[in-house]
Amino acid sequence: MSDAKYTLYYWPIAFRGCFISYQFAYKNEPLTLAGTWESIAAMNAEQPEEQNIPCTGPPVLFEHETGRYLSQTPAIILYAASKLGLAPADPYDTAMCLKVQMDCNDVLMEICRHNGSTMWTRDEWVQFRTKRLPRWMRVFEESVKRGFIGKEQVTFADISVFALFGTMTRCLPELDGDLLQHAPNVHQLCKRMGETPSLAKAVELDEQRAGKTYCGGQIEASIREMLAGDRQG
């Protein structure tokens, strides 16, 4: 029987779920990963009045001891960080970590076109890869230089940056060179975090579950089509 105190409900891929699961992995805290394509789709189809917590989609965290559910990635991350000792003591430092984490959320929303509401066109992708994504990478690079992330004491912000760019470059290796060019310190941070044995084990589990699947569905197919076009160009 699992001794996990929490269950995470999410699609069987890394993408947003790993922002939460990697916190537990880093602290060697057991976490039950639950959710298949069918079960999460069924959860999404429920009416808000029927759900354990009203939401439009996963991730959802269940706390066994209290019987409470929590949704929305930043809220779950902040709550879990407070339980796992990954949130700074100073309120401003905690707010800055949350700022970094929400920057990560913004990048995910942009690369997946607001959860696949539209697909990529060639012109829009070129603008994103040559301008918008490099700017985002420089934002994170400057955050390292200013000491918001990458310090000796690991916080949920560091793990979020690893979940963002470590997963992105693992699943979409064509973008690894972009990160190295525009944010070498972030690239190094991700490499260092990825060498942490507990995180390396969690990434290996993600590989076993889903291979190099990134965000899934038609939007992932659109991203990969754009990357293929970049190689041909």
Side-chain angles (χ1 to χ4, degrees), residues 48-78:
E49 297 82 3
E50 303 168 336
Q51 295 176 309
N52 291 313
I53 184 167
C55 63
T56 59
V60 170
L61 186 72
F62 174 60
E63 187 174 51
H64 299 180
E65 183 179 4
T66 63
R68 297 184 298 195
Y69 290 82
L70 189 61
S71 66
Q72 286 288 7
T73 304
I76 296 172
I77 288 173
L78 188 60

Side-chain angles (χ1 to χ4, degrees), residues 6-31:
Y6 296 87
T7 295
L8 177 66
Y9 295 92
Y10 191 67
W11 307 104
I13 56 176
F15 202 52
R16 282 192 178 86
C18 70
F19 282 78
I20 301 155
S21 63
Y22 288 176
Q23 286 194 93
F24 285 84
Y26 183 78
K27 299 296 287 189
N28 285 303
E29 179 70 26
L31 174 70

